[in-house]
Amino acid sequence: MAGTAFITGATAGIGAACARRFVAAGWKVIVTGRRADRLDALVAELGADNVHAARFDMRDDAAIDHAVSTLPAGFADIDLLINNAGLALGTAPAQQADLAQWRQMIETNVTGLVTITHKLLPILIARKGGIINLSSVAATYPYTGGNVYGGTKAFVRQFSLGLRSDLHGTGVRVTSIEPGMVETEFTLIRTGSKAASDSLYGGVMPMTGEDIAETLLWVATQPAHLNFNTIELMPVSQSFAGFQVARDS
């Protein structure tokens, strides 16, 4: 099965990998993001017949409305929403964190995600389509410095389950994808430097954007009577951490 996929945050990493993988499988894709040059490059690479670019910031409601209402006829019938756009800013503990960064993560990872979902629900219901939300293992396993980022991903997971319940009987499928260590450009932003990123991922053999894109395509192309509520995946080299214990000196 192939159709039309709307992919947020497609200028790099998992989103860009999804655009390439879905087009290779015969899908049309709408790619969104803030960087026009990256979106234009995807259109040039994959072909204007296959890719439509819509540039907007996930925090801009009016821009989202405009992008959806002006979709070309060949891209207006959306069968799949991939809510990939999101960001993680800073690794400081809560008492040292930047409040502006916290708010930006909430506005992008939560408010932006629910806004685009709400906007596309009528189309997805009419077409008995699907929604794949990119959460994270941070939704389940807390870690130092994860604070608001982990909280936003826990929201995405629970929102996915709530959508699944609300959309019961419509034929719309909803999946929360919850990856562990994936090395992409996102990692550089998260850690703040290439040196920090290299230290975190050195010798790990982490997952790639292409690994996640392959998983999403598999979910999207399963028989229509199957729904995968949540999928948690990690590289083999990553497992579960122990509890922290503070001891009196």
Side-chain angles (χ1 to χ4, degrees):
M1 168 204 145
T4 298
F6 191 109
I7 306 171
T8 68
T11 56
I14 292 172
C18 283
R20 294 186 177 101
R21 186 65 189 92
F22 275 73
V23 167
W27 289 63
K28 290 186 175 184
V29 299
I30 300 148
V31 291
T32 83
R34 293 175 295 172
R35 293 175 285 186
D37 58 330
R38 297 284 189 95
L39 296 175
D40 292 344
L42 274 175
V43 174
E45 174 190 344
L46 301 174
D49 290 340
N50 302 315
V51 181
H52 171 73
R55 186 181 71 83
F56 59 79
D57 188 310
M58 289 291 288
R59 297 172 293 171
D60 188 337
D61 291 2
I64 291 174
D65 286 343
H66 177 74
V68 173
S69 63
T70 58
L71 287 172
F75 292 88
D77 292 331
I78 298 165
D79 301 287
L80 176 67
L81 169 60
I82 297 177
N83 272 317
N84 168 72
L87 73 167
L89 299 174
T91 57
Q95 62 271 29
Q96 299 169 14
D98 183 335
L99 180 58
Q101 290 186 337
W102 278 9
R103 286 175 170 162
Q104 186 177 352
M105 284 188 280
I106 293 168
E107 290 166 2
T108 303
N109 300 1
V110 175
T111 307
L113 182 146
V114 300
T115 299
I116 193 68
T117 302
H118 188 268
K119 185 71 176 177
L120 294 181
L121 273 177
I123 301 171
L124 294 167
I125 291 171
R127 296 187 63 77
K128 298 185 184 300
I131 300 168
I132 300 178
N133 292 325
L134 266 293
S135 179
S136 167
V137 294
T140 304
Y141 310 106
Y143 59 90
T144 302
N147 43 66
V148 167
Y149 173 71
T152 65
K153 290 304 179 179
F155 174 89
V156 171
R157 183 183 198 277
Q158 193 65 21
F159 179 61
S160 301
L161 296 174
L163 276 177
R164 173 89 172 97
S165 178
D166 289 348
L167 293 170
H168 180 79
T170 66
V172 176
R173 302 189 289 178
V174 184
T175 300
S176 173
I177 299 290
E178 299 161 15
M181 297 179 78
V182 183
E183 188 172 19
T184 67
E185 184 178 307
F186 176 93
T187 311
L188 295 176
I189 299 170
R190 174 62 166 152
T191 58
S193 71
K194 187 175 187 306
S197 176
D198 289 346
S199 174
L200 179 63
Y201 286 91
V204 170
M205 195 174 288
M207 296 182 292
T208 65
E210 289 71 24
D211 292 329
I212 307 305
E214 194 69 40
T215 302
L216 268 60
L217 180 65
W218 179 80
V219 169
T221 53
Q222 292 304 297
H225 68 285
L226 295 180
N227 191 94
F228 299 88
N229 299 328
T230 61
I231 296 180
E232 180 183 290
L233 60 164
M234 296 179 179
V236 172
S237 55
Q238 182 182 24
S239 188
F240 314 102
F243 286 109
Q244 298 179 93
V245 178
R247 302 184 188 277
D248 293 335
S249 57

